[in-house]
């Protein structure tokens, strides 16, 4: 791509840059609204050394016309009631719509060259430039200082700027932001449980799993999954996203598959990022990734799995990596169990860029599912300021948010809200049309709503769907040499993603295109979900949203019934 884009741009190159330079060589502060104190779990360590490498993604501004055309396409191809449903764009067609103005890209590329930066790559959609450079060079380029930051509980160190960064004005004019040199990631917060679960059912993983834990067999029974596909020729694919040292070893995955009698095995077919072969999963260090991979494959059987790994959590970097994959290689369903609070983003440009990236996935026919969070309505920020703290990307209208449930009794049957499950209403994004009726129905259902000054009545409601997440019947995860019980929407997310990949298999086997962005389909097909009507997500404070009949801000439309959905998708 780099070759193509640079060749394309040569003609307009020099004139534009020189003109811009003459106007001004002063600099502009970028993302001034990002406050480091919003994520207090990271503390500043030593200044970056020569040996440290910074990878940064320079996000160019889109034209209003390009963004509007992407938006129009995204909603049309995602809506089962639209004549263009399923008519997705190829990567090249998408680039034609959304690419940054050629002069803008030339400005950035020529600036990098003039600064002696040689290791950079233009994104496939011609709207971002990834630079990889030694820390001292990055400090000069962005006029800032980089430090090591250490997490207070997780064994993690990341490189971030200690103060806002700046760009030359002529570059800043064409750039929204540089991701992710200033923002701190949240460490996944899966809950590890050692005790037995409350379930009264036999284990299909033998004595490896404690009594009452959730196993692949429990999911198969509850969500009517039938047999996992053993051969997949339809083209259905799925992917997990992992960050921050969350990797896996083939041995652990094989052990899980054989202990739980999964005939299709559990393996990663395509690894993007470092090879897992060289990696050691210290006990507990890989819980998130092992949970995701074991359970998406337990549901999806032989559907090919791609694991997209990057060492530092960056939504934009992840999205760019996936969007750079060509049409044959881009996985169709993505499960991401990482998130933050809206409050911890603060940059409108940042959330705008994330939404644009998500819309690109949908325009190409790919589905994105995120865990809705594990702290109830108060989010990662907590109940300190009394108000609810919506999750990001939970509150983004452009993805599918997956909340959490527990079993109602000790039997495999009806579910209730998991008290810790993320849910609520965005403070940033309005109510998208696909859920307008459902959200209005919830507010007028007569259910007791929390005091109006704690949440946003005009915001996008989430989650959209949910699945078992609870610690009441924790997921049985091979977590290294031993098994652990694990709870969280981090578990619900790969399960629902696996189910939608199975539904893609059904649809694509019938000669139809994949489901793409799922929400219009989900809200138009309530009959395909087990409605969850009890419980409240008020884990960390006095208030929360109650589940009720129909959509609610605790469990969304409910949990999937594969048998019913398989009839509805074709
Ligand atoms: C922390 O991480 C480092 C590098 O990833 C590893 O060498 C070390 O053993 C880890 N420490 C613990 C306590 O897990
Ligand atoms: C409520 O949400 C809307 C977007 O729907 C936003 O514009 C507004 O600022 C939010 N209000 C508060 C108090 O956060």
């Amino acid at each position: 791509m780099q070759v193509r884009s640079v060749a394309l741009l040569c003609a307009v190159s020099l004139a534009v840059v020189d003109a811009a330079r003459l106007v001004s060589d002063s600099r502009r502060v970028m993302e001034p609204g990002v406050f480091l104190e919003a994520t207090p779990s990271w503390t500043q360590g030593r200044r970056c050394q020569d040996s440290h490498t910074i990878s940064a993604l320079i996000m160019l501004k889109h034209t209003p016309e390009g963004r509007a055309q992407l938006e129009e396409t995204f909603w049309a191809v995602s809506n089962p009631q639209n004549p263009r449903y399923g008519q997705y764009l190829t990567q090249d067609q998408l680039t034609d719509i959304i690419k940054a103005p050629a002069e803008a890209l030339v400005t950035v590329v020529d600036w990098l060259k003039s600064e002696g930066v040689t290791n950079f790559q233009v994104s496939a959609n011609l709207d971002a430039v990834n630079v990889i450079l030694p820390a001292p060079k990055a400090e000069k380029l962005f006029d800032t200082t980089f430090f090591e930051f250490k997490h207070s509980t997780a064994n993690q160190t990341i490189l971030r700027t200690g103060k806002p960064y700046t760009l030359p004005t002529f570059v800043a004019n064409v750039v929204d932001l540089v991701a992710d040199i200033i923002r701190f990631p949240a460490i996944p917060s899966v809950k590890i449980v050692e005790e037995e679960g409350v379930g009264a059912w036999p284990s299909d993983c033998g004595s490896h799993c404690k009594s009452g834990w959730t196993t692949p067999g429990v999911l198969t029974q509850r969500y009517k999954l039938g047999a996992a596909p053993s051969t997949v020729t339809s083209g259905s694919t799925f992917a997990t996203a992992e960050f921050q040292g969350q990797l896996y070893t083939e041995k652990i995955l094989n052990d899980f598959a054989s202990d739980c009698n999964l005939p299709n095995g559990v393996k990663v077919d395509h690894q993007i990022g470092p090879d897992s072969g060289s990696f050691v999963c210290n006990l507990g260090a890989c819980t998130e990734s092992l949970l995701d991979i074991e359970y998406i494959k337990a549901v999806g059987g032989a559907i090919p799995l791609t694991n997209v790994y990057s060492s530092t959590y960056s939504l934009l970097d992840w999205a760019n990596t996936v969007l750079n994959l060509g049409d044959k290689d881009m996985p169709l369903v993505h499960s991401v169990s990482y998130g933050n609070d809206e409050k911890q983003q603060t940059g409108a440009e940042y959330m705008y860029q994330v939404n644009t990236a998500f819309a690109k996935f949908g325009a190409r026919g790919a589905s994105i599912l995120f865990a809705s969070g594990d702290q109830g309505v108060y989010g990662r920020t907590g109940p300190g300021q009394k108000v609810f703290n919506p999750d990001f990307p939970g509150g983004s209208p452009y993805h599918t948010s997956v909340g959490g449930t527990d079993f109602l009794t000790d039997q495999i049957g009806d579910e209730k809200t998991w008290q810790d499950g993320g849910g609520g209403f965005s403070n940033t994004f309005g109510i998208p049309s696909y859920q307008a009726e459902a959200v209005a129905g919830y507010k007028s259902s007569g259910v007791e709503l929390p005091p109006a000054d704690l949440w946003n009545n005009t915001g996008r409601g989430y989650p959209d769907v949910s699945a078992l997440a609870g610690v009441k019947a924790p997921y049985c995860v091979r977590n290294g040499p031993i098994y652990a019980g694990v709870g969280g929407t981090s578990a619900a997310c790969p399960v629902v993603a696996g189910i939608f990949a199975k539904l893609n298999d059904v649809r694509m086997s019938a000669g139809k295109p994949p489901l793409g962005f799922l929400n219009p389909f989900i809200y138009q097909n309530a009959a395909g979900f087990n409605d969850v009507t009890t419980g409240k997500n008020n884990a960390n404070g006095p208030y929360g949203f109650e589940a009720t009949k129909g959509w609610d801000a605790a469990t969304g439309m409910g949990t999937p019934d594969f048998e019913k959905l398989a009839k509805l998708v074709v």
Side-chain angles (χ1 to χ4, degrees):
M1 281 323 299
Q2 192 182 333
V3 172
R4 176 186 135 180
S5 56
V6 171
L8 183 92
L9 299 166
C10 263
V12 270
S13 172
L14 286 169
V16 174
V17 172
D18 287 347
R21 280 228 177 102
L22 287 176
V23 176
S24 164
D25 60 359
S26 67
R27 302 182 68 99
R28 188 183 305 157
V29 179
M30 305 297 288
E31 298 192 82
V34 177
F35 303 107
L36 303 185
E37 56 269 28
T39 38
S41 32
W42 294 94
T43 48
Q44 187 174 315
R46 67 176 175 155
R47 177 92 176 260
C48 277
Q49 312 292 302
D50 291 359
S51 58
H52 283 125
T53 300
I54 304 291
S55 172
L57 195 57
I58 301 171
M59 310 297 299
L60 276 68
K61 287 187 201 295
H62 296 112
T63 63
E65 299 75 31
R67 186 59 171 76
Q69 210 184 333
L70 171 63
E71 186 89 7
E72 197 268 327
T73 303
F74 171 75
W75 295 114
V77 300
S78 308
N79 185 352
Q81 291 172 351
N82 190 296
R84 283 163 66 197
Y85 184 49
Q87 293 175 22
Y88 304 119
L89 303 183
T90 63
Q91 188 183 45
D92 286 344
Q93 287 169 335
L94 175 61
T95 300
D96 286 342
I97 288 180
I98 201 65
K99 62 179 185 276
E103 321 77 80
L105 191 51
V106 168
T107 299
V108 171
V109 166
D110 283 358
W111 167 61
L112 291 172
K113 287 182 183 162
S114 73
E115 294 289 335
V117 179
T118 51
N119 192 359
F120 63 86
Q121 197 194 1
V122 178
S123 70
N125 293 142
L126 305 181
D127 57 354
V129 183
N130 186 205
V131 292
I132 297 170
L133 67 183
K137 241 178 158 168
E139 291 192 336
K140 183 167 167 285
L141 197 64
F142 303 125
D143 183 32
T144 188
T145 37
F146 284 89
F147 292 89
E148 284 184 339
F149 284 83
K150 211 173 154 28
H151 194 264
S152 57
T153 52
N155 181 22
Q156 291 286 338
T157 302
I158 60 169
L159 310 177
R160 287 291 188 270
T161 64
K163 57 173 189 176
Y165 59 97
T166 73
L167 293 177
T169 306
F170 72 94
V171 177
N173 286 341
V174 299
V175 166
D176 264 340
L177 59 101
V178 181
D180 250 271
I181 60 175
I182 195 165
R183 193 168 288 93
F184 287 90
I187 296 293
S189 60
V190 289
K191 315 216 170 197
I192 305 219
V193 183
E194 301 299 340
E195 309 88 66
E196 293 186 348
V198 298
W201 51 75
S203 165
D204 49 311
C205 303
S207 59
H208 298 286
C209 302
K210 288 192 180 161
S211 156
W213 283 6
T214 295
T215 57
V218 172
L219 299 171
T220 302
Q221 187 178 331
R222 173 57 186 156
Y223 300 132
K224 304 210 172 69
L225 301 181
S230 55
T231 48
V232 175
T233 53
S234 64
S236 176
T237 50
F238 50 26
T240 45
E242 304 298 342
F243 309 91
Q244 308 287 137
Q246 292 283 340
L247 271 159
Y248 62 89
T249 69
E250 279 169 23
K251 174 162 185 351
I252 297 171
L253 300 181
N254 287 337
D255 288 347
F256 176 75
S258 88
D259 293 345
C260 291
N261 305 300
L262 298 171
N264 304 300
V266 171
K267 70 171 168 91
V268 173
D269 299 274
H270 306 285
Q271 169 73 13
I272 296 178
D275 180 11
S276 71
S278 60
F279 197 78
V280 181
C281 279
N282 290 314
L283 188 58
C286 305
T287 308
E288 179 66 65
S289 46
L290 292 169
L291 164 68
D292 293 348
I293 295 167
E294 289 170 15
Y295 277 88
I296 204 168
K297 285 293 280 186
V299 172
I303 295 173
L305 176 67
T306 299
N307 183 52
V308 184
Y309 178 81
S310 58
S311 61
T312 296
Y313 174 73
S314 161
L315 273 188
L316 288 173
D317 180 55
W318 164 77
N320 188 54
T321 300
V322 175
L323 289 164
N324 277 343
L325 298 172
D327 295 319
K328 290 202 174 58
D329 297 328
M330 184 182 181
L332 290 172
V333 176
H334 296 265
S335 173
V336 193
S337 291
Y338 297 74
N340 249 318
D341 286 354
E342 280 182 2
K343 200 181 159 65
Q344 294 167 333
Q345 316 298 329
T346 55
E349 291 95 349
Y350 178 79
M351 291 194 263
Y352 158 81
Q353 282 280 354
V354 171
N355 283 344
T356 304
F358 288 0
K360 289 181 186 179
F361 277 69
R364 287 179 66 186
S367 315
I368 309 178
L369 300 94
F370 272 78
S372 74
D374 294 344
Q375 291 86 7
V377 290
Y378 295 97
R380 291 166 183 82
T381 311
Q385 285 133 336
K386 308 271 192 287
V387 294
F388 298 170
N389 295 298
D391 180 272
F392 188 79
S396 160
Y398 298 85
H399 80 301
T400 300
S401 173
V402 184
T405 64
D406 263 326
F407 281 126
L408 195 55
T409 68
D410 65 354
Q411 301 295 318
I412 300 174
D414 287 348
E415 293 156 74
K416 63 177 183 186
T417 305
W418 179 42
Q419 217 189 348
D420 296 68
F425 296 89
S426 171
N427 280 327
T428 310
F429 306 106
I431 304 170
S433 64
Y434 60 74
Q435 65 165 201
E437 206 179 304
V439 168
Y442 176 61
K443 290 173 184 168
S444 64
S445 66
V447 73
E448 196 188 330
L449 294 167
D453 54 344
L454 301 186
W455 58 283
N456 195 321
N457 195 30
T458 65
R460 181 264 209 259
Y462 73 101
D464 301 300
V465 287
S466 50
L468 285 167
V471 286
K472 191 174 157 188
Y475 281 67
C476 179
V477 173
R478 181 131 193 141
N479 188 28
I482 59 157
Y483 279 82
V486 180
T489 53
S490 286
C493 190
V495 168
V496 176
I499 291 173
F500 276 102
K502 262 169 72 87
L503 292 167
N504 267 348
D505 186 40
V506 171
R507 246 179 94 75
M508 294 165 80
S509 297
K512 301 198 167 172
L515 290 160
F517 174 54
L518 299 170
N519 292 6
F521 171 83
I522 289 171
Y523 285 82
Q524 287 168 27
N525 289 281
F529 297 87
N530 308 304
D531 198 1
V532 178
T533 58
T534 52
K536 206 187 217 187
N537 50 7
N538 63 341
N540 295 329
Y543 300 106
F545 289 103
E546 256 178 70
T548 186
K549 207 167 154 0
W551 182 88
D552 50 69
T555 61
M557 299 298 279
T559 64
D561 180 319
F562 176 75
E563 249 173 40
K564 289 184 182 156
L565 286 166
K567 296 199 179 96
L568 292 168
V569 292
V570 286

